[in-house]
Amino acid sequence: MKRLTIAAAASTVMLAASAPASAETNAPSAAATVSVLMQASGPKFDGMTTKEVNGRNLKAVRFATGRAAFVETSEGVWQEYDRQGNPSFRFEETGRDDWSVYMIDRGRNVRMQLDVHRKMVRISQNGAQMADYHAIRAAFAPGGGGGGKFAGMRSDSVNGGNLSGVSFASGNAAFVQMGGGQWQEYNGQGQPSFSFRETHRDEWSVYLVDEGRNVRIQLDVHRKMTRIGQNGGAMSDYQKINRVYRKR
């Protein structure tokens, strides 16, 4: 497959299929790489896990070539990092499915697909057909349990417009915004339970739906209350919110 170059700058990440074999040979172990990344100023994976990652909860991917990576830095915004761990290009998330995240750099007319199932980044330039670009070494989702779910968040000045997560007094139960309009519910053991789609927001609340179970949820920041409606019934108070979070 011919080499694909996203930009001419020397610092640009060059994740081409024709990269020399020595890049793989000389790459540090996965554990060593993660340790270095978490300590340096480049892409950060702290508070994330490599377990049970899919297209709905994907937060970052890492490659074998140095410190190259894609990381979701805020809702719907992805940052590309080059081999030296320097930020290069930013992408806007356009959609997700069960196994992939789709994004675009409109200024350069470059589209990307991060395919977790095939562990492959795919690329399209100037409207061309998508093609395999570079293998993914590791994929990351928000960490489950403890404070990992809320890494990079803060709990001051939270309202319905910026709400990104809520926690409860019962163990590790929580609702966390995953990106792409998706929210994940965690049970008291911190394990993912049900997924919800965000329908809208107002000044003090976020509204969610699980269409498969016909369950509606309201996360009310003002009253610090989760409300629930099932099978078309009226909304009613469900569980008291212990703490609310927004992204930094």
Side-chain angles (χ1 to χ4, degrees), residues 76-126:
V77 177
W78 287 74
Q79 180 67 59
E80 180 183 3
Y81 293 86
D82 64 21
R83 294 182 182 185
Q84 289 72 45
N86 300 312
S88 53
F89 297 107
R90 300 183 77 181
F91 289 78
E92 171 195 342
E93 182 177 313
T94 59
R96 294 180 180 238
D97 58 30
D98 288 344
W99 290 110
S100 294
V101 173
Y102 303 87
M103 60 188 70
I104 187 170
D105 178 340
R106 297 186 188 278
R108 296 180 301 132
N109 198 13
V110 172
R111 293 182 297 123
M112 288 283 188
Q113 176 187 357
L114 307 180
D115 187 334
V116 178
H117 180 67
R118 295 182 58 230
K119 290 195 173 181
M120 179 64 64
V121 177
R122 309 193 76 214
I123 187 173
S124 167
Q125 296 176 290
N126 299 317

Side-chain angles (χ1 to χ4, degrees), residues 20-34 36 62-68 83 134 137:
S22 59
E24 184 72 35
T25 303
N26 297 330
S29 66
T33 301
V34 171
V36 171
R62 175 173 71 81
F63 308 98
T65 49
R67 301 175 62 204
R83 294 182 182 185
H134 199 276
R137 167 169 277 193

